[in-house]
Amino acid sequence: MLLCIDTGNTNTVFSIWDGDSFIATWRTSTEHQRTGDQYYVWLSTLMRFQGIEADITEAIISSTVPRVVFNLRVLCNRYFNCRPVVVGKPECALPMAPRVDAGTTVGPDRLVNTAGAYDRYGGDLIVVDFGTATTFDVVAADGAYVGGVIAPGVNLSLQALHEAAAALPHVDITKPADVIGTNTVACMQSGVFWGYVGLVREICARIKAEYDRPMRVIATGGLAPLFEQGDTLFDTFDEYLTIHGLTVIHKYNKDLGTL
């Protein structure tokens, strides 16, 4: 079976793929100090608790935090006796190379989202990923990543607002009952929620105008469902798009005979 690991700046997702479906998915906080042994204790405990007996023989990693990759490699080598494929490394082939400025390094999360989105929905897409940053990835008709947009993430904006303004509290993001807030928390929630609705709508509209052809908008990331409430910003929400992209890239490399 295949162990898929998606490491973001805030959380890391582990999923086990049996070739047809994901039999389990778990999420933990991203900590670069965590050793391969600690990862295994955590993962094996969850597997045992859920009664999962998976014979993991292959692994693939996507990480936007380079410092965690070494310990994830140790996890795979020591406990699953396999050499993981690492997206973004020269030895990891992509179904379609990105078309960006020479010398530009594209984040592995964006490459994986592109591969997963194209496999499921075809080309001419905008993939909006609500993570630590809110990213917009443009997927061409042939499945190539051709650029995009990076904006601050929702929780990052709330944190900055709280830290930079002494009188403003830390609040959780939610859809407010009214646009006009009648207390500080409601005002902040309204500003962030409707601000991001406007941000997503405007950026997607400008991408479509510049791209000059019909495009579908695919949303992923933990906060994406929140922004579906009452406003149609996306054509589709795909919770497991990134993890699916990892299986697509792994299969591509396996079919090439490089694994």
Side-chain angles (χ1 to χ4, degrees), residues 225-238:
L226 173 66
F227 292 94
E228 280 286 83
Q229 299 181 43
D231 264 72
T232 305
L233 293 175
F234 321 119
D235 295 300
T236 304
F237 167 63
D238 192 330

Side-chain angles (χ1 to χ4, degrees), residues 154-175:
V154 177
N155 287 321
L156 192 61
S157 295
L158 281 169
Q159 180 181 342
L161 197 60
H162 167 61
E163 291 180 354
L168 296 181
H170 177 78
V171 300
D172 293 325
I173 181 63
T174 186
K175 182 183 178 182

Side-chain angles (χ1 to χ4, degrees), residues 99-117:
R99 293 196 292 272
V100 294
D101 294 343
T104 299
T105 300
V106 181
D109 54 332
R110 309 186 84 174
L111 298 173
V112 172
N113 281 346
T114 296

